[in-house]
Amino acid sequence: MSTAMGRIVKQVSEGTTKYYWYPGDKKEWIRAGVALGIGLAVFGLLMLFTRNVLVATVVGASATAVAAGLNFGRRDARALAGFPDLGDKAARRAAVGHTGKAVWRALAHGFGGAAAAVLILNLPHRGVVADWILPVVPAVVGALAHQAGMLYERLSASTSTPGPASTPAPTPDPEPALP
């Protein structure tokens, strides 16, 4: 089974098995659900405490964008680290596959930011801040989280060298010994 397709197997009866196919990996769908759950929980808590739909929507959408941005950033950094040398035809094919997945992640992230902006713009509040600044907050916060996810993944990656480590060369004495 490829990583581009997931599968749910359900045993219906003794001789019957149903297969449900879905795009992507189950782990990534769970992470997306967690990101949406975080945003909905933050929205609900802020609505409960502030009774202000504008603030709750902006902060809830931003929380979802942060969770999704961190996830997308880590995945993009892992994909970049696994990029092969592009001298081989098979390596170029693999690079195109990685690029296609990155394009889908970028489309999903961009669509999320645009949907949050449209949602915030259609709320009943008016003013320069509500109409011009707050709609872009989730997209900006999500983009910063994407960069933070990439940075985190790159900093947590260890580097290795082939073979055992060599001993450092001795440093020469700055002054020769006198006879």
Side-chain angles (χ1 to χ4, degrees):
M1 179 169 64
S2 76
T3 59
M5 196 62 107
R7 176 177 73 172
I8 298 173
V9 180
K10 290 191 176 186
Q11 189 75 29
V12 178
S13 66
E14 183 73 29
T16 306
T17 303
K18 282 193 174 184
Y19 296 96
Y20 299 96
W21 296 91
Y22 56 89
D25 188 18
K26 182 178 181 181
K27 177 176 53 172
E28 300 305 330
W29 280 101
I30 291 171
R31 287 182 180 162
V34 167
L36 284 173
I38 289 171
L40 288 172
V42 169
F43 173 80
L45 286 172
L46 282 174
M47 275 302 292
L48 182 68
F49 292 124
T50 65
R51 303 269 187 230
N52 187 339
V53 71
L54 181 65
V55 171
T57 303
V58 170
V59 177
S62 295
T64 298
V66 165
L70 287 171
N71 184 31
F72 286 160
R74 291 181 64 214
R75 288 173 64 192
D76 284 345
R78 274 182 264 150
L80 281 174
F83 247 66
D85 182 27
L86 298 179
D88 184 20
K89 187 175 183 177
R92 285 192 298 271
R93 228 180 259 135
V96 169
H98 286 301
T99 304
K101 291 175 186 175
V103 167
W104 280 112
R105 286 191 296 270
L107 284 172
H109 202 123
F111 175 75
V118 168
L119 179 67
I120 293 167
L121 274 173
N122 286 315
L123 293 176
H125 291 58
R126 294 288 167 243
V128 173
V129 173
D131 289 339
W132 291 96
I133 296 173
L134 292 181
V136 298
V137 168
V140 170
V141 169
L144 291 174
H146 182 271
Q147 293 301 313
M150 288 185 76
L151 182 64
Y152 173 78
E153 190 68 26
R154 294 291 296 158
L155 290 177
S156 66
S158 64
T159 58
S160 63
T161 58
S166 62
T167 58
T171 57
D173 281 337
E175 294 184 25
L178 294 174

